[in-house]
Amino acid sequence: MYRSTPTTATLSRVQAMAGTPSLLQRSAATISARTIATASRAKLNTHRRQQHQQLLPLVRHFSVSHAANNAEETLVEREPRETMEYDVVIVGGGPAGLSAAIRLKQLAAKEDTEINVVVIEKGGEIGAHTLSGACIEVGPLEELFPDWKEQGAPLNQPALEDHMKYLTKNHAIPLPHPPQMNNTGNYIVSLSNVVKWLGEKAEELGVDVFPATAASEIIYNEDGSVRGIATNDAGVDKEFKPKASFTPGMELHGKLTLFAEGCHGSLTKGLIRKLKLRDEGKFQTYGLGIKELWEVDPAKHTPGKIIHTMGYPLDYQTYGGGFIYHMEDNKVSLGLVVGLDYKNPYLSPYKEFQRFKSHPLVSGLLKGGRVLSYGARALVEGGLQSLPKLFFPGGALIGDTAGFMNVPKIKGTHNAMQSGILAADSAYKAIVTEGLGEEGSKPIVLSGYEEAFRNSSIYKELHEVRNIRPSFHTGLGIWGGIMWSGLDSMLIKGRVPFTFQHPHPDHAMMEPAAMHKPIDYPKPDGEITFDILTSVSRTGTDHAENQPVHLRLADKTIEVRENLPVYDGPEQRFCPAGVYEYVDDEAKPGQKRFQINAQNCIHCKTCDIKDPAQNINWTVPEGGNGPQYVDT
């Protein structure tokens, strides 16, 4: 069987494009070189963490304005791109992508054979763009590494207490704890650190891991099957013209390409449309999770304590809730998730999070402490009925890219990892056991992956809770949805002959501003609550200024022409990073223009999801740009 092996020169070229010191320089991909690379990565991580902590008090205002470019603008002339051949190309270095890569290499090692796997990750390093609560189930981790404790996986704090509270403005009322939210046996973790550890394990097994490498294009064969991906060109200025440092992207071809981009992936959204992977009338629905990590007074810290909340600060028409997780070392992870199907255009998820922290239950815990980091990301909340078809000729969807999050459980990492394992098993069988995918043969179709999914724990738990999230949009209303959720969680457990559907995509749920009153949010106090740019400064976000704006407008006029008069410019409120503004137009006195502060972007994807005109297209900036999350 033909096994393509990338040359050292080619590997160095990809690493040079990434713009970061290589942690993968190995002349013949030897184990000893991988050990050196792992040690170098650890030193770099420590240095970056120390740097980040020193910069925390500083506020960097990233409101640099660029012209909003049309989504169709590209380089006039493209230089030929070099190509690297792999057995499996994995787009995304999160829990799903790394689990798939690790499983493939473990299967090959068990049978003393070879399978070439590459993982590309747009973050500056593995884990840099990973953000979650997070309290995780360890089943899939144990499947990959039964001795994960002995190997030093960063799961240090077992979950010891579970609490559910209904918040009013000044009180916290205890509620019965739903069985799905029982965290016995789970661990409160920094998911970014867990992902970094998985990245190191993948490297040790021989996976080519390329951080700071952004996939910008899907490469298709003439028959419409997926051949691989292309990375974006480096050294392009904001007018889409090559700079002196211009380097064309590379194409990574695979017998299979696994998309593990996370929620609302920039390539996956187009792939689903092009290949019609989601049934007509079926929608994904999303939430926006906003999180901070705090170091609190040791006297207020209870390691292993978990609190979930519902109610305040959200109104009765808005789905969502809060969380407070007590980690190790006097650290507390807390956040608010707001369903992006909310109706009121004046609602600001970021400012709702500030109100959440002002509640006595939360502010009492945080007073006297210090915030260490901030971040936000969109979450897939649609459940079983929103899943697209999982496979297609030449590849498959895994993890949050597909949408395996269990919303009532508020967990998705275990399902993401399990989906990666299932896809890897099917891919290995097709490529190695059955010898499919050779040059000139038909593209591989991973139908076995979807079959494995339907027989898996993922399907079972998503089927059981499938009616809970959409029940809030039935004739039952919000309060009826809460009652149905309790009944379904405690007693019915999905055993009904019907499935509720999501009525509309999130952007279509927003109502005109004339139907709502502006929300009077309190000013930040600088101790517990903060302005948005202070929070963005805690993400480590950076984008090279002179590069194409990665937030593309299909129509440059529609925001001012429609979104501003109809919805009062909701972009400036739904973005949790201050990317979008309506400012006075110097060229047209008395009018406004739409300004994109692309350097602020923390890659949460909310704008692509919630823009009522669906005019904003989130694309990848140069690899390595974006947030540099630490311990999130």
Side-chain angles (χ1 to χ4, degrees):
M1 185 179 302
Y2 172 73
R3 300 285 177 216
S4 55
T5 305
T7 65
T8 302
T10 309
L11 291 177
S12 299
R13 176 175 169 77
V14 171
Q15 292 155 358
M17 286 172 55
T20 57
S22 169
L23 299 178
L24 300 167
Q25 291 175 345
R26 44 188 183 257
S27 60
T30 59
I31 294 296
S32 59
R34 290 192 196 102
T35 304
I36 294 170
T38 301
S40 299
R41 184 184 293 279
K43 290 179 182 177
L44 181 60
N45 289 348
T46 300
H47 174 68
R48 283 181 174 171
R49 184 172 286 105
Q50 290 170 345
Q51 248 186 352
H52 183 75
Q53 294 297 335
Q54 291 169 359
L55 291 172
L56 279 178
L58 303 178
V59 179
R60 294 188 291 156
H61 295 275
F62 297 128
S63 51
V64 177
S65 168
H66 296 307
N69 291 289
N70 188 284
E72 301 303 320
E73 290 183 274
T74 56
L75 286 170
V76 176
E77 295 182 5
R78 174 180 294 284
E79 292 187 22
R81 296 186 291 211
E82 291 187 17
T83 299
M84 296 172 65
E85 299 287 341
Y86 282 91
D87 292 315
V88 181
V89 175
I90 300 175
V91 184
L98 290 170
S99 294
I102 288 166
R103 180 67 156 207
L104 285 165
K105 283 294 189 178
Q106 288 176 333
L107 292 171
K110 184 177 179 180
E111 296 188 358
D112 194 25
T113 186
E114 188 62 44
I115 187 166
N116 290 314
V117 183
V118 63
V119 173
I120 65 168
E121 164 57 39
K122 64 182 176 65
E125 61 182 19
I126 297 297
H129 288 180
T130 302
L131 180 84
S132 185
C135 183
I136 66 171
E137 298 183 11
V138 298
L141 179 63
E142 290 180 341
E143 191 171 345
L144 293 174
F145 300 105
D147 59 343
W148 58 267
K149 289 184 180 179
E150 290 75 14
Q151 292 202 46
L155 283 73
N156 305 315
Q157 181 56 62
L160 302 175
E161 299 179 31
D162 277 313
H163 302 271
M164 173 66 78
K165 309 269 187 190
Y166 183 85
L167 303 186
T168 64
K169 187 173 182 179
N170 296 306
H171 298 91
I173 303 167
L175 293 175
H177 204 269
Q180 289 99 338
M181 299 178 72
N182 178 15
N183 284 292
T184 301
N186 298 338
Y187 283 78
I188 303 171
V189 301
S190 157
L191 190 58
S192 64
N193 289 339
V194 173
V195 166
K196 288 175 187 176
W197 183 84
L198 288 172
E200 292 167 1
K201 293 301 169 185
E203 288 180 331
E204 291 172 7
L205 287 165
V207 177
D208 288 331
V209 180
F210 297 145
T213 306
S216 61
E217 180 184 348
I218 299 175
I219 306 299
Y220 293 92
N221 292 306
E222 290 183 2
D223 61 3
S225 62
V226 172
R227 183 173 179 80
I229 58 92
T231 65
N232 60 1
D233 300 324
V236 181
D237 70 19
K238 61 185 179 182
E239 302 300 329
F240 290 81
K241 304 202 179 297
K243 297 185 286 191
S245 59
F246 174 74
T247 306
M250 293 193 65
E251 293 189 10
L252 303 179
H253 295 175
K255 297 171 182 175
L256 283 169
T257 303
L258 303 182
F259 292 86
E261 295 184 285
C263 177
H264 204 65
S266 54
L267 294 184
T268 305
K269 64 188 181 185
L271 179 75
I272 289 174
R273 288 194 298 267
K274 180 179 177 68
L275 301 184
K276 296 180 172 56
L277 300 182
R278 180 172 282 120
D279 292 339
E280 191 73 27
K282 295 293 182 67
F283 309 103
Q284 185 58 265
T285 189
Y286 301 88
L288 174 60
I290 301 177
K291 168 184 173 173
E292 286 179 348
L293 180 69
W294 282 69
E295 182 179 38
V296 301
D297 182 344
K300 302 176 183 178
H301 186 248
T302 308
K305 184 177 182 179
I306 291 176
I307 300 174
H308 288 110
T309 73
M310 52 195 308
Y312 185 86
L314 301 178
D315 61 38
Y316 75 96
Q317 292 185 315
T318 305
Y319 185 88
F323 64 87
I324 305 170
Y325 298 159
H326 289 245
M327 307 171 72
E328 71 271 25
D329 300 329
N330 300 318
K331 292 178 182 175
V332 171
S333 171
L334 73 152
L336 182 72
V337 177
V338 179
L340 286 178
D341 52 2
Y342 67 82
K343 298 178 180 179
N344 187 349
Y346 290 113
L347 187 146
S348 164
Y350 177 82
K351 292 182 179 180
E352 294 291 338
F353 174 55
Q354 303 310 306
R355 291 207 300 179
F356 171 72
K357 290 188 295 175
S358 300
H359 189 278
L361 175 73
V362 188
S363 61
L365 171 66
L366 301 182
K367 194 170 182 61
R370 68 186 184 107
V371 62
L372 302 177
S373 60
Y374 163 83
R377 57 163 290 203
L379 309 171
V380 282
E381 293 192 343
L384 190 68
Q385 53 272 62
S386 291
L387 293 181
K389 186 177 180 181
L390 301 179
F391 68 96
F392 44 86
L397 308 177
I398 60 177
D400 276 1
T401 287
F404 295 128
M405 180 176 169
N406 184 326
V407 178
K409 199 183 250 189
I410 320 180
K411 288 181 179 58
T413 301
H414 65 296
N415 284 343
M417 294 179 69
Q418 191 66 53
S419 71
I421 292 170
L422 295 176
D425 288 346
S426 295
Y428 185 84
K429 180 181 178 182
I431 294 171
V432 178
T433 307
E434 299 176 355
L436 303 179
E438 296 299 335
E439 189 171 350
S441 65
K442 292 182 179 180
I444 297 174
V445 179
L446 278 188
S447 54
Y449 165 48
E450 183 131 7
E451 182 181 348
F453 159 70
R454 293 193 175 277
N455 292 315
S456 73
S457 59
I458 310 174
Y459 183 88
K460 181 178 182 298
E461 68 172 68
L462 292 184
H463 185 268
E464 185 175 303
V465 302
R466 70 192 185 283
N467 283 327
I468 292 180
R469 177 69 174 89
S471 71
F472 289 82
H473 287 300
T474 66
L476 300 171
I478 290 289
W479 298 113
I482 292 174
M483 289 187 285
W484 170 267
S485 298
L487 181 65
D488 204 2
S489 297
M490 302 283 191
L491 299 174
I492 300 176
K493 297 186 177 180
R495 295 188 294 265
V496 291
F498 54 83
T499 298
F500 294 141
Q501 300 297 325
H502 303 288
H504 305 288
D506 291 343
H507 69 271
M509 297 295 288
M510 185 174 286
E511 295 175 342
M515 298 175 65
H516 297 269
K517 294 181 180 179
I519 301 173
D520 183 19
Y521 289 108
K523 292 182 179 180
D525 60 22
E527 180 185 6
I528 303 296
T529 60
F530 307 95
D531 66 85
I532 201 165
L533 292 178
T534 297
S535 292
V536 172
S537 74
R538 296 184 172 118
T539 65
T541 294
D542 189 35
H543 293 85
E545 181 176 347
N546 190 19
Q547 66 169 300
V549 174
H550 64 282
L551 305 159
R552 311 281 173 79
L553 301 180
D555 181 336
K556 296 179 183 180
T557 69
I558 203 168
E559 310 298 318
V560 172
R561 182 163 44 85
E562 293 187 14
N563 283 5
L564 183 59
V566 178
Y567 302 101
D568 198 32
E571 304 89 341
Q572 56 197 337
R573 289 181 289 274
F574 62 55
C575 173
V579 170
Y580 301 105
E581 294 181 281
Y582 286 87
V583 298
D584 292 335
D585 190 340
E586 300 87 351
K588 299 176 182 178
Q591 298 185 39
K592 297 288 186 180
R593 64 179 176 86
F594 187 56
Q595 177 168 294
I596 299 177
N597 305 314
Q599 278 200 336
N600 294 26
C601 179
I602 57 177
H603 297 201
C604 72
K605 315 289 182 64
T606 302
C607 56
D608 199 316
I609 296 166
K610 191 59 177 174
D611 173 19
Q614 287 295 278
N615 190 48
I616 300 172
N617 181 32
W618 196 100
T619 66
V620 288
E622 286 191 8
N625 286 193
Q628 177 65 43
Y629 288 137
V630 177
D631 295 334
T632 54

